[in-house]
Amino acid sequence: MSNTPMAATPLTRAVLEIDEYASGLGWDQPARLFALVDTARLRAQEPGLAAQLGLEDEQQKTSGLTPIEQDEIPAGKALDEFLGTIAWPDAVIGCALTVERLMLPPSAEASVPEGLSEKKLARWVAEHPDRQEVRMTVGVLRDGTRDSALRLREKDAATEVLTGSDLVPGLAEALSATFAD
C-alpha cells in the first residue's frame, strides 16, 4: 500500500499494509487473520490469483509478502482456542492477525482488584478512566521473524502507528505456534 515505508523489511511492510487495510474498515471490527505468501512465488505459481489481487503490474523483481485474508474467525470462540486449530500449507510462509483490544497504562497495574474473574476483569478494564482502545496487527514468519504495529484509537493516523518486533509478544507466540509441527 502507499503508506508503507520502502526501506522496511517485507514483514514490516505486510504488517503496515494490513494495519492500513484495517484502518480503512474503521474501528469496532472483528479480528482478522491473514496468510502471508511470497509475492514472487504467488505471481509465478498462481498468475490468476495474482491478477485478482492486483499484483500482475508490480515489478517482477519485487520481493515481498502478500497478505491474503482468511475466512472470518468464528464468533464466540476464544482467539487462543481458534489459533490452536490452524494448520498452514507449505506455500504460506507467515501469518498475521489484526485485533482490537482495550489496554491500560502500566501505572494502572497496581490498582487492579485482586481475585477478579476474567469477565469481571474485562469489565473493570472497560470502565477504567485511563483505558485506551488499540488495534494490534502482529505478523510472524515460519523462521521466527516477527513484527507488529499498534494504533491507538485516539491517535488514529498512519503517522502515529508504532512498530516493533516485541510490542505484542504473547500474540506473536500464539501465531508462531500455528506453524509448529
Side-chain angles (χ1 to χ4, degrees):
M1 294 228 151
S2 58
N3 292 334
T4 58
M6 292 310 295
T9 67
L11 181 58
T12 303
R13 285 193 304 268
V15 165
L16 289 171
E17 181 178 332
I18 293 166
D19 172 74
E20 188 175 333
Y21 167 74
S23 177
L25 299 172
W27 285 88
D28 304 317
Q29 296 292 314
R32 296 175 188 279
L33 181 67
F34 298 82
L36 300 176
V37 297
D38 179 272
T39 303
R41 185 175 171 189
L42 174 66
R43 198 179 296 112
Q45 295 179 352
E46 299 286 344
L49 179 57
Q52 187 179 1
L53 295 172
L55 301 174
E56 75 280 0
D57 293 334
E58 289 190 24
Q59 294 177 358
Q60 292 296 324
K61 298 175 192 166
T62 301
S63 67
L65 299 170
T66 297
I68 301 174
E69 188 169 1
Q70 303 300 291
D71 291 336
E72 193 171 301
I73 296 173
K77 188 164 193 169
L79 190 55
D80 57 342
E81 288 177 23
F82 172 73
L83 291 175
T85 67
I86 295 174
W88 297 104
D90 291 341
V92 175
I93 63 171
C95 67
L97 180 82
T98 185
V99 63
E100 296 175 14
R101 292 290 186 256
L102 292 177
M103 69 175 208
L104 294 175
S107 60
E109 284 183 32
S111 64
V112 175
E114 294 287 324
L116 291 181
S117 68
E118 224 175 285
K119 190 174 184 177
K120 288 183 180 180
L121 178 61
R123 187 177 3 205
W124 184 83
V125 170
E127 294 171 354
H128 196 283
D130 295 331
R131 73 186 177 283
Q132 293 281 323
E133 291 179 73
V134 62
R135 180 180 305 116
M136 303 175 285
T137 304
V138 179
V140 300
L141 300 180
R142 283 185 188 270
D143 69 7
T145 305
R146 55 178 67 176
D147 211 336
S148 52
L150 294 179
R151 182 186 292 250
L152 295 173
R153 189 171 190 157
E154 75 173 22
K155 294 182 179 186
D156 193 2
T159 57
E160 296 290 334
V161 176
L162 302 173
T163 59
S165 60
D166 293 323
L167 296 178
V168 193
L171 187 51
E173 288 297 324
L175 290 172
S176 292
T178 65
F179 292 105
D181 292 335

